[in-house]
Amino acid sequence: MKLSLYVRRDSLVHALPAGWKLSLLLITGLLILFTDDARLLGAGLVMVLIGFPLARLPLSEILHQARPLLIVLAIFFAAHATFTSIDTGTVLTLRFAIMIACGLLLTLTTRVSDLMSVLERALRPLAPLGLNPEKTSLVFAMTIRFIPVLAETWETVRVAQQARGMDRNPLALLIPMTVLTLRRAEQISDAIEARGVDL
């Protein structure tokens, strides 16, 4: 399993401090909650997507990471368009697409160690309240890292079940997805504990 999505490049996006990138991610996440205008959300998505060529990331890597996420977004939109309305589905899908694109851009251009350092510094004032900054930052970093891993696992399961003609059976997708995810989480937990980190 590839443990880091970071792609080394000499770009302005890579050069931005990890703290700035995390702040922009947080601000973006808040801003998209204040509008239901699909045109504004669409413009926001375009602005985020411009960050990928600015970061000089290889198109093959972007497509490899984005493909399973696009499938999930398509299913998400179809479900909302069916059970609520197309307008609602469009707005919610655009919000998720913006956050997914921001998260992908962040993980492709920022080392996990840099993210952990920023979070540790930000959470240090909360240590007197009983919060462990090191463990909390590790959990945040692993959560961010695990999102594309889950998407990759979903794509692997989907392709395997498609080859068996079972890709339209939700249980045939969800059960192996759950088993593989739990197994991978256990492997990562063992690896972390082997390095002396008690979670």
Side-chain angles (χ1 to χ4, degrees):
M1 179 180 66
K2 197 165 78 168
L3 287 176
S4 175
L5 288 178
Y6 177 72
V7 177
R8 184 189 297 274
R9 286 290 185 277
D10 183 14
S11 75
L12 290 175
V13 182
H14 285 74
L16 276 177
W20 288 27
K21 295 179 192 175
L22 277 173
S23 299
L24 287 172
L25 179 67
L26 179 62
I27 292 170
T28 302
L30 292 174
L31 286 178
I32 61 175
L33 295 177
F34 289 106
T35 180
D36 290 331
D37 191 329
R39 292 169 299 181
L40 285 178
L41 291 171
L45 179 60
V46 171
M47 290 177 64
V48 175
L49 294 178
I50 289 174
F52 288 93
L54 286 178
R56 303 172 63 185
L57 295 167
L59 183 61
S60 58
E61 183 67 22
I62 297 171
L63 293 176
H64 174 71
Q65 298 296 336
R67 186 175 173 222
L69 301 174
L70 292 176
I71 295 172
V72 173
L73 282 177
I75 295 173
F76 183 78
F77 172 76
H80 272 279
T82 302
F83 297 108
T84 56
S85 69
I86 292 179
D87 290 342
T88 301
T90 301
V91 168
L92 294 177
T93 302
L94 284 171
R95 284 177 177 164
F96 273 107
I98 289 173
M99 291 311 298
I100 288 172
C102 285
L104 187 58
L105 188 59
L106 175 70
T107 52
L108 287 172
T109 62
T110 313
R111 294 182 180 86
V112 173
S113 57
D114 293 337
L115 292 175
M116 290 178 63
S117 297
V118 171
L119 288 170
E120 283 181 23
R121 288 197 301 272
L123 296 174
R124 198 158 292 148
L126 300 178
L129 300 177
L131 182 72
N132 187 318
E134 290 79 13
K135 290 182 180 179
T136 307
S137 64
L138 179 61
V139 170
F140 271 109
M142 293 305 297
T143 301
I144 292 174
R145 176 62 189 92
F146 223 60
I147 292 172
V149 172
L150 288 175
E152 188 176 297
T153 304
W154 173 265
E155 178 66 5
T156 301
V157 171
R158 190 190 66 80
V159 170
Q161 299 299 57
Q162 188 177 40
R164 298 182 179 96
M166 301 174 65
D167 56 315
R168 294 183 183 277
N169 184 344
L171 288 180
L173 295 171
L174 292 176
I175 291 176
M177 175 74 185
T178 303
V179 171
L180 287 174
T181 302
L182 292 175
R183 186 178 300 166
R184 185 159 289 177
E186 186 176 1
Q187 291 171 348
I188 292 174
S189 176
D190 291 343
I192 292 173
E193 289 181 2
R195 288 165 173 77
V197 179
D198 182 15
L199 293 176

